[in-house]
mmCIF file of all heavy atoms in Angstrom:
data_model
loop_
_atom_site.group_PDB
_atom_site.id
_atom_site.type_symbol
_atom_site.label_atom_id
_atom_site.label_comp_id
_atom_site.label_asym_id
_atom_site.label_seq_id
_atom_site.Cartn_x
_atom_site.Cartn_y
_atom_site.Cartn_z
ATOM 1 N N ASP P 76 104.793 98.696 109.775
ATOM 2 C CA ASP P 76 103.637 98.505 108.899
ATOM 3 C C ASP P 76 103.504 99.599 107.854
ATOM 4 O O ASP P 76 103.012 99.358 106.768
ATOM 5 C CB ASP P 76 102.356 98.436 109.732
ATOM 6 C CG ASP P 76 101.171 98.000 108.895
ATOM 7 O OD1 ASP P 76 101.131 96.824 108.498
ATOM 8 O OD2 ASP P 76 100.311 98.853 108.610
ATOM 9 N N THR P 77 103.934 100.791 108.187
ATOM 10 C CA THR P 77 103.667 101.926 107.307
ATOM 11 C C THR P 77 104.700 103.022 107.514
ATOM 12 O O THR P 77 105.322 103.095 108.578
ATOM 13 C CB THR P 77 102.235 102.454 107.557
ATOM 14 O OG1 THR P 77 101.870 103.351 106.533
ATOM 15 C CG2 THR P 77 102.099 103.116 108.894
ATOM 16 N N THR P 78 104.861 103.854 106.502
ATOM 17 C CA THR P 78 105.798 104.979 106.569
ATOM 18 C C THR P 78 105.086 106.248 106.136
ATOM 19 O O THR P 78 104.344 106.239 105.152
ATOM 20 C CB THR P 78 107.017 104.740 105.642
ATOM 21 O OG1 THR P 78 107.688 103.557 106.052
ATOM 22 C CG2 THR P 78 107.983 105.913 105.678
ATOM 23 N N LEU P 79 105.325 107.321 106.865
ATOM 24 C CA LEU P 79 104.853 108.644 106.461
ATOM 25 C C LEU P 79 106.080 109.438 106.028
ATOM 26 O O LEU P 79 106.963 109.725 106.842
ATOM 27 C CB LEU P 79 104.124 109.343 107.609
ATOM 28 C CG LEU P 79 102.791 108.709 108.007
ATOM 29 C CD1 LEU P 79 102.236 109.366 109.260
ATOM 30 C CD2 LEU P 79 101.787 108.796 106.870
ATOM 31 N N LEU P 80 106.151 109.738 104.742
ATOM 32 C CA LEU P 80 107.240 110.524 104.174
ATOM 33 C C LEU P 80 106.739 111.954 104.029
ATOM 34 O O LEU P 80 105.844 112.237 103.221
ATOM 35 C CB LEU P 80 107.664 109.930 102.825
ATOM 36 C CG LEU P 80 108.744 110.654 102.045
ATOM 37 C CD1 LEU P 80 109.997 110.886 102.887
ATOM 38 C CD2 LEU P 80 109.082 109.876 100.773
ATOM 39 N N ILE P 81 107.299 112.837 104.819
ATOM 40 C CA ILE P 81 106.791 114.198 104.969
ATOM 41 C C ILE P 81 107.726 115.173 104.242
ATOM 42 O O ILE P 81 108.946 115.113 104.428
ATOM 43 C CB ILE P 81 106.702 114.565 106.465
ATOM 44 C CG1 ILE P 81 106.014 113.439 107.246
ATOM 45 C CG2 ILE P 81 105.990 115.891 106.667
ATOM 46 C CD1 ILE P 81 106.387 113.387 108.716
ATOM 47 N N ALA P 82 107.150 116.055 103.442
ATOM 48 C CA ALA P 82 107.932 117.002 102.640
ATOM 49 C C ALA P 82 107.540 118.438 102.983
ATOM 50 O O ALA P 82 106.795 119.082 102.235
ATOM 51 C CB ALA P 82 107.730 116.718 101.159
ATOM 52 N N PRO P 83 108.021 118.965 104.104
ATOM 53 C CA PRO P 83 107.564 120.291 104.540
ATOM 54 C C PRO P 83 107.923 121.434 103.594
ATOM 55 O O PRO P 83 107.252 122.458 103.595
ATOM 56 C CB PRO P 83 108.249 120.467 105.902
ATOM 57 C CG PRO P 83 109.436 119.567 105.844
ATOM 58 C CD PRO P 83 109.023 118.398 105.001
ATOM 59 N N ASN P 84 108.969 121.264 102.791
ATOM 60 C CA ASN P 84 109.383 122.318 101.859
ATOM 61 C C ASN P 84 109.030 121.998 100.416
ATOM 62 O O ASN P 84 109.305 122.778 99.515
ATOM 63 C CB ASN P 84 110.897 122.542 101.967
ATOM 64 C CG ASN P 84 111.291 123.024 103.343
ATOM 65 O OD1 ASN P 84 110.576 123.800 103.960
ATOM 66 N ND2 ASN P 84 112.414 122.547 103.833
ATOM 67 N N GLY P 85 108.442 120.843 100.187
ATOM 68 C CA GLY P 85 108.197 120.392 98.828
ATOM 69 C C GLY P 85 106.754 120.539 98.386
ATOM 70 O O GLY P 85 105.840 120.342 99.169
ATOM 71 N N LEU P 86 106.584 120.884 97.130
ATOM 72 C CA LEU P 86 105.283 120.881 96.457
ATOM 73 C C LEU P 86 104.172 121.559 97.270
ATOM 74 O O LEU P 86 103.151 120.945 97.587
ATOM 75 C CB LEU P 86 104.898 119.446 96.103
ATOM 76 C CG LEU P 86 105.916 118.755 95.183
ATOM 77 C CD1 LEU P 86 105.810 117.249 95.295
ATOM 78 C CD2 LEU P 86 105.735 119.217 93.757
ATOM 79 N N PRO P 87 104.330 122.836 97.601
ATOM 80 C CA PRO P 87 103.304 123.534 98.384
ATOM 81 C C PRO P 87 101.987 123.731 97.632
ATOM 82 O O PRO P 87 100.940 123.850 98.262
ATOM 83 C CB PRO P 87 103.953 124.883 98.731
ATOM 84 C CG PRO P 87 104.991 125.084 97.675
ATOM 85 C CD PRO P 87 105.470 123.709 97.292
ATOM 86 N N ASP P 88 102.046 123.748 96.301
ATOM 87 C CA ASP P 88 100.837 123.890 95.493
ATOM 88 C C ASP P 88 100.191 122.513 95.313
ATOM 89 O O ASP P 88 100.851 121.571 94.847
ATOM 90 C CB ASP P 88 101.177 124.501 94.132
ATOM 91 C CG ASP P 88 99.950 124.673 93.273
ATOM 92 O OD1 ASP P 88 99.263 125.696 93.429
ATOM 93 O OD2 ASP P 88 99.666 123.761 92.453
ATOM 94 N N PHE P 89 98.931 122.394 95.662
ATOM 95 C CA PHE P 89 98.278 121.085 95.607
ATOM 96 C C PHE P 89 98.239 120.500 94.200
ATOM 97 O O PHE P 89 98.430 119.296 94.019
ATOM 98 C CB PHE P 89 96.858 121.130 96.192
ATOM 99 C CG PHE P 89 96.148 119.819 96.035
ATOM 100 C CD1 PHE P 89 96.567 118.705 96.746
ATOM 101 C CD2 PHE P 89 95.087 119.681 95.153
ATOM 102 C CE1 PHE P 89 95.939 117.473 96.580
ATOM 103 C CE2 PHE P 89 94.450 118.464 94.986
ATOM 104 C CZ PHE P 89 94.878 117.354 95.710
ATOM 105 N N LEU P 90 97.998 121.324 93.194
ATOM 106 C CA LEU P 90 97.936 120.794 91.821
ATOM 107 C C LEU P 90 99.289 120.237 91.375
ATOM 108 O O LEU P 90 99.352 119.194 90.721
ATOM 109 C CB LEU P 90 97.422 121.855 90.853
ATOM 110 C CG LEU P 90 95.967 122.277 91.070
ATOM 111 C CD1 LEU P 90 95.579 123.376 90.099
ATOM 112 C CD2 LEU P 90 95.021 121.091 90.981
ATOM 113 N N ASP P 91 100.376 120.908 91.770
ATOM 114 C CA ASP P 91 101.713 120.371 91.476
ATOM 115 C C ASP P 91 101.918 119.050 92.204
ATOM 116 O O ASP P 91 102.460 118.097 91.642
ATOM 117 C CB ASP P 91 102.806 121.364 91.898
ATOM 118 C CG ASP P 91 102.821 122.625 91.043
ATOM 119 O OD1 ASP P 91 102.259 122.611 89.922
ATOM 120 O OD2 ASP P 91 103.387 123.635 91.523
ATOM 121 N N PHE P 92 101.508 119.000 93.462
ATOM 122 C CA PHE P 92 101.608 117.773 94.256
ATOM 123 C C PHE P 92 100.797 116.655 93.611
ATOM 124 O O PHE P 92 101.275 115.525 93.469
ATOM 125 C CB PHE P 92 101.107 118.054 95.682
ATOM 126 C CG PHE P 92 101.082 116.865 96.590
ATOM 127 C CD1 PHE P 92 102.245 116.387 97.169
ATOM 128 C CD2 PHE P 92 99.883 116.228 96.893
ATOM 129 C CE1 PHE P 92 102.215 115.289 98.033
ATOM 130 C CE2 PHE P 92 99.843 115.140 97.754
ATOM 131 C CZ PHE P 92 101.018 114.667 98.325
ATOM 132 N N ASN P 93 99.599 116.981 93.191
ATOM 133 C CA ASN P 93 98.720 115.986 92.565
ATOM 134 C C ASN P 93 99.349 115.435 91.275
ATOM 135 O O ASN P 93 99.305 114.231 91.025
ATOM 136 C CB ASN P 93 97.350 116.610 92.300
ATOM 137 C CG ASN P 93 96.276 115.580 92.121
ATOM 138 O OD1 ASN P 93 96.180 114.625 92.887
ATOM 139 N ND2 ASN P 93 95.462 115.765 91.104
ATOM 140 N N ASP P 94 99.945 116.309 90.476
ATOM 141 C CA ASP P 94 100.633 115.870 89.261
ATOM 142 C C ASP P 94 101.836 114.990 89.603
ATOM 143 O O ASP P 94 102.139 114.034 88.886
ATOM 144 C CB ASP P 94 101.101 117.072 88.432
ATOM 145 C CG ASP P 94 99.944 117.828 87.782
ATOM 146 O OD1 ASP P 94 98.817 117.274 87.689
ATOM 147 O OD2 ASP P 94 100.169 118.988 87.382
ATOM 148 N N PHE P 95 102.511 115.303 90.685
ATOM 149 C CA PHE P 95 103.701 114.576 91.141
ATOM 150 C C PHE P 95 103.382 113.121 91.477
ATOM 151 O O PHE P 95 104.244 112.245 91.385
ATOM 152 C CB PHE P 95 104.275 115.308 92.360
ATOM 153 C CG PHE P 95 105.407 114.626 93.048
ATOM 154 C CD1 PHE P 95 106.686 114.641 92.499
ATOM 155 C CD2 PHE P 95 105.210 113.978 94.261
ATOM 156 C CE1 PHE P 95 107.735 114.016 93.160
ATOM 157 C CE2 PHE P 95 106.250 113.351 94.911
ATOM 158 C CZ PHE P 95 107.526 113.376 94.364
ATOM 159 N N LEU P 96 102.150 112.843 91.825
ATOM 160 C CA LEU P 96 101.770 111.481 92.218
ATOM 161 C C LEU P 96 101.964 110.480 91.091
ATOM 162 O O LEU P 96 102.232 109.302 91.345
ATOM 163 C CB LEU P 96 100.327 111.468 92.735
ATOM 164 C CG LEU P 96 100.091 112.313 93.984
ATOM 165 C CD1 LEU P 96 98.607 112.346 94.333
ATOM 166 C CD2 LEU P 96 100.924 111.826 95.156
ATOM 167 N N ALA P 97 101.866 110.922 89.847
ATOM 168 C CA ALA P 97 102.135 110.027 88.709
ATOM 169 C C ALA P 97 103.595 109.574 88.737
ATOM 170 O O ALA P 97 103.900 108.402 88.447
ATOM 171 C CB ALA P 97 101.812 110.722 87.392
ATOM 172 N N ASP P 98 104.497 110.466 89.124
ATOM 173 C CA ASP P 98 105.909 110.097 89.261
ATOM 174 C C ASP P 98 106.096 109.085 90.392
ATOM 175 O O ASP P 98 106.919 108.170 90.285
ATOM 176 C CB ASP P 98 106.769 111.329 89.525
ATOM 177 C CG ASP P 98 106.759 112.313 88.361
ATOM 178 O OD1 ASP P 98 106.569 111.875 87.209
ATOM 179 O OD2 ASP P 98 106.946 113.515 88.617
ATOM 180 N N CYS P 99 105.338 109.253 91.449
ATOM 181 C CA CYS P 99 105.397 108.300 92.572
ATOM 182 C C CYS P 99 104.967 106.910 92.113
ATOM 183 O O CYS P 99 105.597 105.907 92.471
ATOM 184 C CB CYS P 99 104.509 108.773 93.720
ATOM 185 S SG CYS P 99 105.040 110.326 94.462
ATOM 186 N N ASP P 100 103.902 106.857 91.327
ATOM 187 C CA ASP P 100 103.437 105.571 90.792
ATOM 188 C C ASP P 100 104.493 104.926 89.906
ATOM 189 O O ASP P 100 104.675 103.708 89.923
ATOM 190 C CB ASP P 100 102.135 105.748 90.011
ATOM 191 C CG ASP P 100 100.935 106.014 90.911
ATOM 192 O OD1 ASP P 100 101.005 105.690 92.118
ATOM 193 O OD2 ASP P 100 99.938 106.552 90.405
ATOM 194 N N GLU P 101 105.208 105.746 89.124
ATOM 195 C CA GLU P 101 106.276 105.219 88.275
ATOM 196 C C GLU P 101 107.386 104.585 89.107
ATOM 197 O O GLU P 101 107.916 103.537 88.755
ATOM 198 C CB GLU P 101 106.844 106.317 87.378
ATOM 199 C CG GLU P 101 105.946 106.660 86.207
ATOM 200 C CD GLU P 101 106.567 107.700 85.289
ATOM 201 O OE1 GLU P 101 107.811 107.739 85.174
ATOM 202 O OE2 GLU P 101 105.787 108.469 84.692
ATOM 203 N N VAL P 102 107.744 105.221 90.218
ATOM 204 C CA VAL P 102 108.771 104.665 91.107
ATOM 205 C C VAL P 102 108.295 103.325 91.665
ATOM 206 O O VAL P 102 109.049 102.342 91.683
ATOM 207 C CB VAL P 102 109.115 105.649 92.257
ATOM 208 C CG1 VAL P 102 109.976 104.986 93.316
ATOM 209 C CG2 VAL P 102 109.803 106.889 91.705
ATOM 210 N N LEU P 103 107.068 103.269 92.088
ATOM 211 C CA LEU P 103 106.498 102.037 92.629
ATOM 212 C C LEU P 103 106.568 100.909 91.586
ATOM 213 O O LEU P 103 106.975 99.786 91.903
ATOM 214 C CB LEU P 103 105.050 102.303 93.057
ATOM 215 C CG LEU P 103 104.348 101.278 93.910
ATOM 216 C CD1 LEU P 103 105.010 101.122 95.265
ATOM 217 C CD2 LEU P 103 102.885 101.680 94.100
ATOM 218 N N MET P 104 106.199 101.225 90.369
ATOM 219 C CA MET P 104 106.231 100.210 89.306
ATOM 220 C C MET P 104 107.662 99.845 88.916
ATOM 221 O O MET P 104 107.967 98.683 88.680
ATOM 222 C CB MET P 104 105.439 100.691 88.088
ATOM 223 C CG MET P 104 103.935 100.658 88.332
ATOM 224 S SD MET P 104 102.985 101.056 86.872
ATOM 225 C CE MET P 104 102.825 102.811 87.068
ATOM 226 N N ASP P 105 108.542 100.845 88.883
ATOM 227 C CA ASP P 105 109.939 100.598 88.555
ATOM 228 C C ASP P 105 110.585 99.637 89.560
ATOM 229 O O ASP P 105 111.419 98.808 89.196
ATOM 230 C CB ASP P 105 110.702 101.931 88.517
ATOM 231 C CG ASP P 105 112.134 101.781 88.069
ATOM 232 O OD1 ASP P 105 112.370 101.151 87.017
ATOM 233 O OD2 ASP P 105 113.033 102.300 88.769
ATOM 234 N N LEU P 106 110.185 99.753 90.810
ATOM 235 C CA LEU P 106 110.699 98.865 91.868
ATOM 236 C C LEU P 106 109.971 97.516 91.901
ATOM 237 O O LEU P 106 110.293 96.658 92.711
ATOM 238 C CB LEU P 106 110.570 99.541 93.241
ATOM 239 C CG LEU P 106 111.455 100.759 93.473
ATOM 240 C CD1 LEU P 106 111.079 101.445 94.785
ATOM 241 C CD2 LEU P 106 112.923 100.369 93.476
ATOM 242 N N GLU P 107 108.970 97.385 91.018
ATOM 243 C CA GLU P 107 108.136 96.183 90.960
ATOM 244 C C GLU P 107 107.458 95.902 92.306
ATOM 245 O O GLU P 107 107.337 94.764 92.745
ATOM 246 C CB GLU P 107 108.953 94.975 90.481
ATOM 247 C CG GLU P 107 109.489 95.171 89.074
ATOM 248 C CD GLU P 107 110.300 93.994 88.560
ATOM 249 O OE1 GLU P 107 110.515 93.022 89.294
ATOM 250 O OE2 GLU P 107 110.712 94.066 87.383
ATOM 251 N N LEU P 108 107.003 96.984 92.918
ATOM 252 C CA LEU P 108 106.319 96.874 94.207
ATOM 253 C C LEU P 108 104.834 97.210 94.108
ATOM 254 O O LEU P 108 104.143 97.221 95.123
ATOM 255 C CB LEU P 108 106.994 97.783 95.247
ATOM 256 C CG LEU P 108 108.388 97.341 95.683
ATOM 257 C CD1 LEU P 108 109.044 98.389 96.563
ATOM 258 C CD2 LEU P 108 108.333 95.992 96.395
ATOM 259 N N ASP P 109 104.338 97.492 92.880
ATOM 260 C CA ASP P 109 102.905 97.722 92.747
ATOM 261 C C ASP P 109 102.202 96.393 93.034
ATOM 262 O O ASP P 109 102.649 95.337 92.617
ATOM 263 C CB ASP P 109 102.544 98.275 91.371
ATOM 264 C CG ASP P 109 103.080 97.457 90.214
ATOM 265 O OD1 ASP P 109 104.254 97.067 90.270
ATOM 266 O OD2 ASP P 109 102.323 97.201 89.261
#
Side-chain angles (χ1 to χ4, degrees):
D76 190 70
T77 192
T78 300
L79 292 173
L80 177 53
I81 312 155
N84 297 323
L86 301 158
D88 180 84
F89 175 68
L90 294 177
D91 292 341
F92 177 78
N93 200 46
D94 290 343
F95 174 76
L96 298 174
D98 296 332
C99 296
D100 287 340
E101 284 183 31
V102 169
L103 193 64
M104 287 186 269
D105 185 51
L106 293 172
E107 298 180 357
L108 291 172
D109 52 315

